[in-house]
């Protein structure tokens, strides 16, 4: 029986990256006046996207979904440690918009884009298929 060569070995899989660093455009100012701009966000789970739907604030105002969801997935914000919805709701609007966009990028990992071909000129291009709200695919 022939020995297995390097071509017969199963391909090595890259480890799944589950946490991503970010830097806020403005930064969060805590109660002591300290500015926090750097942080980390983890991949969202189905539970992360489902549990906020039970929250009364989200039921009363669906726009609050992104605040609760981001509060669950931000694992580090400056020296504060994990964020929560109370921290996220006190962020500047520019930082909230940045985090919503970052959440989509991290969790979609390119799956919201599709390559298509123009029926007229036959040139390939990419289109965005994803939803426009956080937590929407």
């Amino acid at each position: 029986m022939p020995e297995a060569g390097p071509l017969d070995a199963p391909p090595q899989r890259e480890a799944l990256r589950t946490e991503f660093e970010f830097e806020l455009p403005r930064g969060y100012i805590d109660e002591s006046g300290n500015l926090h701009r750097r942080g980390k966000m983890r991949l969202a789970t189905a539970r992360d996207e489902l549990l906020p739907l039970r929250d009364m604030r989200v039921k009363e105002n669906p726009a609050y979904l992104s605040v609760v969801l981001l509060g669950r997935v931000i694992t580090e914000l400056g020296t504060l440690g994990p964020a929560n919805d109370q921290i996220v709701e006190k962020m500047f609007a520019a930082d909230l918009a940045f985090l919503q966009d970052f959440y989509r990028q991290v969790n979609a990992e390119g799956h919201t884009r599709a390559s298509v071909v123009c029926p007229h000129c036959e040139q390939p291009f990419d289109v965005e298929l994803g939803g426009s709200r956080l937590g929407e695919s």
Side-chain angles (χ1 to χ4, degrees):
M1 180 167 210
E3 287 186 38
L7 296 177
D8 297 326
Q12 293 290 331
R13 292 187 64 161
E14 190 175 316
L16 177 62
R17 188 171 166 201
T18 60
E19 203 167 48
F20 302 84
E21 294 182 4
F22 62 83
E23 185 170 337
L24 296 173
R26 297 253 190 311
Y28 171 74
I29 301 173
D30 67 21
E31 294 170 1
S32 302
N34 299 312
L35 180 66
H36 304 274
R37 292 187 69 196
R38 294 186 175 273
K40 292 182 182 177
M41 181 184 295
R42 67 172 172 77
L43 289 175
T45 64
R47 182 179 183 90
D48 291 323
E49 292 204 352
L50 292 172
L51 283 181
L53 298 175
R54 295 182 186 167
D55 191 305
M56 287 308 296
R57 297 167 297 181
V58 174
K59 287 182 180 182
E60 292 173 7
N61 181 2
Y64 205 78
L65 172 63
S66 64
V67 171
V68 177
L69 189 50
L70 289 169
R72 294 181 60 84
V73 298
I74 298 173
T75 60
E76 189 176 304
L77 183 59
T79 58
L80 297 175
N84 57 44
D85 51 354
Q86 289 85 20
I87 288 174
V88 175
E89 69 186 2
K90 294 176 188 170
M91 289 183 171
F92 295 113
D95 291 330
L96 179 61
F98 168 84
L99 289 169
Q100 289 170 329
D101 198 40
F102 189 69
Y103 176 94
R104 279 190 286 276
Q105 291 174 20
V106 164
N107 287 285
E109 207 173 45
H111 296 295
T112 61
R113 298 187 73 74
S115 294
V116 295
V117 176
C118 175
H120 302 289
C121 67
E122 298 184 9
Q123 290 295 314
F125 64 97
D126 290 342
V127 294
E128 184 68 39
L129 300 175
S132 60
R133 290 195 342 238
L134 186 62
E136 182 179 84
S137 37

